[in-house]
């Protein structure tokens, strides 16, 4: 089938298209109602179907004769550990851990937070929850206790699964201490915690609350798979919005399984038995979809990697992994390859490895900048696929579709929309933009299976954030255009979300933290271009009259505050003290103009501006500090 025929069918006959794709999933009860609406009027897929995602990812393969195939390679250069698990072995471990959770009272619908480093047990914990019909919420290990506490209060988990420590480059992350602090900060308290003791740190268990993973499993019996409705939630994954409170993206079981299985062949050209690696973290959507669920649903082998692209031990790490595990499809964020390129621009490390197993290289998480695209294309010699997606969609909205009909790539473009994503570029009034003109990137409803079904506990926020701006469309929050040949170009966020080293962060949240400092009268945080990390946050701050500290002290204190509240991954370091900020007469800070100045872009001064003289001042302060230099 050609791409055009496949795509048109998915848009013109969505129910027929997805009913056919649903036949690839082992259901307990096959769905007869393919598309319907829930009580909030949201489109829902496979409403009367029943399945279990863990069954489809593990047991089904064991029963179909794939039990001896490797399901998961574990590779941790930071702890010098490597091993593999077959589908049968992974199924046994998951069933036993699910049994242990069931013994402690976890049942279908309970929320369980997973706060773990990149250990195979994180995958086991997620699948064990899915096996019981419990809803996991994985929190990225790089988040500080405050962020974990916010998620504990929102998801109100019955249990938290964590580990004694994580290992970053030459530093031990004390997960247990962070867990304790988060639980003491949170209003909601979990009934119990399970702790994986790693050899590097033996953490003291909190009496009556904490249980040792190994001891629990030693006493457990394997748990069977609990049938759930296709529309029951599989997981909640928090992502940054425009305010300080993260949004709990809810994904259901049926649509997720169907869409991810479909994507493995259509987008990634992966067949059962082949090896796929996503160099991400289980705390991000890429990790959920393409480290854990999709490769296993498709009967592939996944690689769980506790390491970095560089310095663990060197910038040949990715090439070594591709050679060692005969990886066919490799996926990471552009920033990871920019880090490799910085250390090894001529690809000397690559010459040491045989990467002939590699057929396609996939990049997402941020725009693949053309210099990195060309560098990779020349160096690696296989198709370099930039594909665009979001935590909310769970799989790619636009991509070169390597399993259907590969096209020639255009630098800076995520190629063409994937099945079911009717991508439209709208102007501020909801009208269609002409080809090649930038506007707000929206998706005409219905969205395909696998996309978010609501914001956890807040259906109003779901509507307001995504559905109410343009009736009949989902608002992606990205700006971009579609060219005359139908290629999609995503140019960046139109809201207060920034992307730092492939990590999605909210400038609104940073502003709330900074505004809490006693020396700060007002502030705005914007993302500025950075050659390595894509963007970095920079604060523009007006000091309070009478504040006795100097600007250096303030800068250091604000950096420490953001690091303590959000975590080191926020990479907030730079603060510029200004006398005034550009605002409208109604007092709204003109952040989009600040962003344009930082990016060296032209901007239109709105007629509603209160104090136009503030603009040249800001321009000169930014120029003095070489802000956004990379983008000029
Ligand atoms: N747990 C705890 N801390 C973490 C962490 C984790 N899982 N991940 C990152 N951090 C810390 C880092 O140690 C660093 O701390 P420091 O300020 O004390 O040095 C800080 O957060 C910033 O990390 P990062 O922005 O990742 O910078 P880096 O210099 O350590 O690494 C890259 C740079 C490009 C190698 C790294 O960002 C990378 O591999 N990025 C890929 C991103 C990715 O996989 N994104 C997922 C979407 S696909
Ligand atoms: P996240 O939810 O963390 O996956 O971040 C999603 C956001 O990252 C999107 O809304 C985009 O702004 C950006 N993004 C992800 N992939 C791409 C891409 N291939 N091209 C451009 N932007 C991207």
């Amino acid at each position: 089938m050609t791409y055009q025929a496949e795509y048109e069918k998915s848009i013109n006959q969505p129910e027929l298209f997805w009913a056919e794709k649903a036949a690839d999933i082992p259901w307990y009860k096959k769905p007869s109602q393919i598309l319907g609406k829930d009580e909030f009027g949201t489109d829902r897929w496979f409403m009367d179907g029943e399945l279990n995602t863990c069954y489809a990812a593990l047991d089904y393969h064991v029963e179909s004769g794939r039990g001896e195939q490797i399901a998961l390679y574990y590779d941790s250069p930071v702890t010098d550990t490597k091993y593999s698990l077959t589908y049968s072995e992974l199924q046994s471990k998951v069933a036993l851990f699910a049994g242990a959770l069931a013994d402690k009272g976890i049942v279908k619908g309970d929320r369980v937070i997973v706060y773990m480093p990149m250990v195979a047990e994180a995958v086991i914990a997620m699948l064990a929850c899915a096996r019981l019909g419990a809803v996991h919420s994985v929190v990225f290990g790089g988040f500080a206790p405050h962020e974990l506490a916010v998620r504990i209060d929102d998801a109100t988990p019955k249990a938290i699964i964590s580990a004694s420590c994580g290992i970053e480059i030459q530093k031990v992350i004390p997960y247990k201490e962070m867990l304790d602090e988060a639980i003491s900060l949170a209003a909601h308290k979990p009934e119990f915690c399970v702790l994986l003791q790693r050899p590097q740190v033996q953490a003291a268990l909190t009496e009556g609350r904490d249980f040792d993973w190994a001891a629990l499993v030693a006493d457990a019996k394997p748990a069977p798979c609990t049938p759930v409705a296709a529309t029951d939630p599989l997981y909640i994954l928090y992502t940054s919005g425009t305010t300080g409170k993260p949004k709990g993206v809810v994904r259901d079981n049926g649509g997720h399984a169907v869409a991810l299985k479909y994507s493995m062949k259509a987008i990634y050209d992966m067949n059962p038995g082949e090896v796929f690696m996503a160099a991400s973290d289980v705390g991000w959507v890429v990790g959920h979809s393409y480290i854990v669920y999709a490769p296993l649903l498709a009967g592939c082998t996944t690689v769980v990697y506790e390491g970095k692209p560089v310095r663990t031990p060197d910038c040949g790490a990715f090439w070594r992994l591709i050679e060692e595990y005969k990886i066919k499809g490799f996926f990471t964020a552009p920033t990871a390859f920019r880090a490799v390129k910085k250390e090894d621009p001529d690809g000397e490390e690559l010459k040491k490895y045989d990467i002939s197993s590699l057929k396609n290289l996939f990049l997402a998480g941020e725009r693949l900048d053309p210099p990195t695209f060309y560098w990779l294309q020349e160096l690696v010699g296989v198709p370099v696929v930039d594909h665009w997606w979001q935590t909310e969609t769970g799989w790619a909205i636009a991509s070169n579709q390597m399993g259907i009909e590969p096209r020639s790539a255009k630098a800076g473009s995520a190629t063409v929309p994937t099945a079911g994503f009717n991508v439209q570029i709208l102007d501020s009034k909801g009208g269609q933009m002409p080809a090649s003109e930038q506007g707000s990137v929206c998706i005409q409803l219905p969205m395909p299976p696998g996309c978010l079904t609501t914001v956890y506990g807040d259906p109003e926020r779901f509507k307001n954030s995504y559905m109410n701006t343009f009736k009949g469309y989902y608002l992606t929050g990205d700006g971009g255009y579609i060219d005359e040949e139908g290629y999609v170009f995503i140019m960046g966020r139109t809201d207060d979300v920034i992307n730092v080293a492939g990590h999605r962060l909210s400038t609104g949240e940073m502003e709330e933290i900074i505004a809490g400092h006693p020396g700060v009268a007002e502030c705005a945080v914007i993302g500025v271009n950075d050659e390595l990390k894509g963007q970095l946050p920079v604060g523009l701050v007006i000091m309070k009259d009478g504040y006795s500290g100097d600007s250096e002290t303030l800068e250091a204190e604000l950096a420490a505050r953001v690091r303590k509240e959000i975590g080191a991954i926020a990479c907030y370091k730079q603060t510029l003290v200004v006398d005034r900020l550009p605002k409208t007469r109604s007092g709204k800070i003109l952040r989009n103009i600040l962003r344009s100045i930082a990016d060296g872009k032209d901007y239109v001064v709105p007629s509603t501006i209160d104090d136009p003289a503030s603009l040249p001042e800001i321009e000169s302060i930014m120029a003095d500090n070489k802000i956004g230099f990379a983008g000029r």
Side-chain angles (χ1 to χ4, degrees), residues 239 284-286 363-368 386-392 414 476-478 490-493 499 502-504:
T239 191
W284 305 113
V285 69
V286 175
L363 286 302
E366 54 173 325
R367 181 165 184 258
L368 175 58
D386 176 15
H387 60 325
W388 165 58
W389 50 303
Q390 313 183 305
T391 304
E392 288 85 344
T476 66
D478 282 313
I490 301 300
M491 305 308 290
R493 299 287 303 192
N499 204 312
H503 306 139
R504 177 165 155 183

Side-chain angles (χ1 to χ4, degrees), residues 117 140-143 168-169 171 173 175 178 279-281 284 286 307-311 318 331-333 335-337 339 364-365 500-503 532-533 563 567-571 573:
F140 176 58
F143 280 127
E168 277 290 290
I169 303 174
K171 110 180 135 181
I173 310 288
Y175 272 63
M178 289 155 74
S280 178
D281 188 289
W284 305 113
V286 175
K308 301 270 174 182
V310 293
R311 289 176 285 155
F318 283 172
F331 177 174
T332 192
T335 188
F337 273 118
V500 179
H503 306 139
L532 176 63
K533 298 195 179 181
R563 191 179 172 96
I569 51 153
C571 297
K573 296 206 166 74

Side-chain angles (χ1 to χ4, degrees), residues 118-132:
M118 283 294 286
V119 286
E121 285 80 358
V123 179
I124 292 169
M126 291 164 75
L127 289 164
C129 290
R131 194 170 187 86
L132 299 176

Side-chain angles (χ1 to χ4, degrees), residues 18-276:
W18 289 112
E20 285 170 9
K21 305 306 171 204
D24 282 348
I25 290 293
W27 298 89
Y28 294 138
K29 179 171 173 253
K30 279 200 181 347
S32 60
Q33 188 188 359
I34 302 303
L35 182 61
K37 286 205 188 287
D38 66 14
E39 60 195 302
F40 302 105
T42 305
D43 294 306
R44 302 297 300 267
W45 292 94
F46 315 119
M47 292 190 76
D48 59 347
E50 272 181 25
L51 76 165
N52 180 284
T53 299
C54 178
Y55 175 82
L58 298 178
D59 304 55
Y60 169 72
H61 297 307
V62 174
E63 289 168 16
S64 331
R66 207 167 277 289
E68 295 315 303
Q69 182 196 308
I70 306 249
L72 183 155
Y73 285 115
Y74 182 67
D75 190 299
S76 168
V78 290
T79 60
D80 204 13
T81 313
K82 286 180 195 177
Y83 61 85
S84 62
L85 296 172
T86 63
Y87 269 94
S88 293
E89 288 166 339
L90 185 58
Q91 180 205 29
S92 306
K93 284 185 182 288
V94 169
L96 267 185
F97 190 59
L101 290 179
D103 286 347
K104 301 239 55 83
I106 297 294
V107 294
K108 180 175 157 181
D110 285 341
R111 273 85 54 219
V112 176
I113 282 187
V114 176
Y115 182 61
M116 297 184 96
M118 283 294 286
V119 286
E121 285 80 358
V123 179
I124 292 169
M126 291 164 75
L127 289 164
C129 290
R131 194 170 187 86
L132 299 176
V135 181
H136 62 68
S137 185
V138 184
V139 178
F140 176 58
F143 280 127
H146 164 78
E147 287 291 318
L148 177 57
V150 169
R151 287 154 174 80
I152 293 173
D153 280 337
D154 198 75
T156 61
K158 195 184 253 184
I160 303 183
I161 303 166
S162 191
S164 56
C165 69
I167 316 287
E168 277 290 290
I169 303 174
Q170 290 175 344
K171 110 180 135 181
V172 173
I173 310 288
Y175 272 63
K176 169 63 167 52
E177 286 170 30
M178 289 155 74
L179 174 70
D180 288 346
E181 194 183 333
I183 293 175
S184 73
L185 287 172
H188 171 84
K189 309 292 174 198
E191 283 177 22
F192 69 96
C193 298
V194 181
L195 214 79
L196 176 77
Q197 296 280 16
R198 302 190 74 188
Q200 295 75 19
V201 171
Q202 290 292 304
L205 299 184
T206 303
E207 184 76 32
R209 187 197 75 185
D210 294 350
F211 297 88
D212 175 56
W213 175 300
L216 277 190
V217 164
D219 291 338
K221 290 196 182 52
C225 296
T226 304
V228 298
T231 49
D232 280 338
L234 170 67
Y235 68 76
I236 307 166
L237 178 58
Y238 288 88
T239 191
S240 300
T242 48
T243 67
K245 191 170 183 253
K247 290 188 275 209
V249 163
V250 179
R251 186 108 50 228
D252 67 8
N253 276 271
H256 172 256
V258 172
L260 289 196
K261 177 120 191 237
Y262 168 76
S263 73
M264 279 304 275
K265 179 65 194 165
I267 297 177
Y268 301 98
D269 194 26
M270 294 298 299
N271 301 303
E274 295 175 340
V275 185
F276 189 79

Side-chain angles (χ1 to χ4, degrees), residues 524 526 540 582 589-598 618 622:
I526 55 167
L540 295 127
I589 297 174
L590 290 160
R591 288 180 177 76
N592 51 347
I593 292 193
L594 293 174
R595 284 197 287 265
S596 296
I597 296 175
I618 300 271
M622 288 212 199

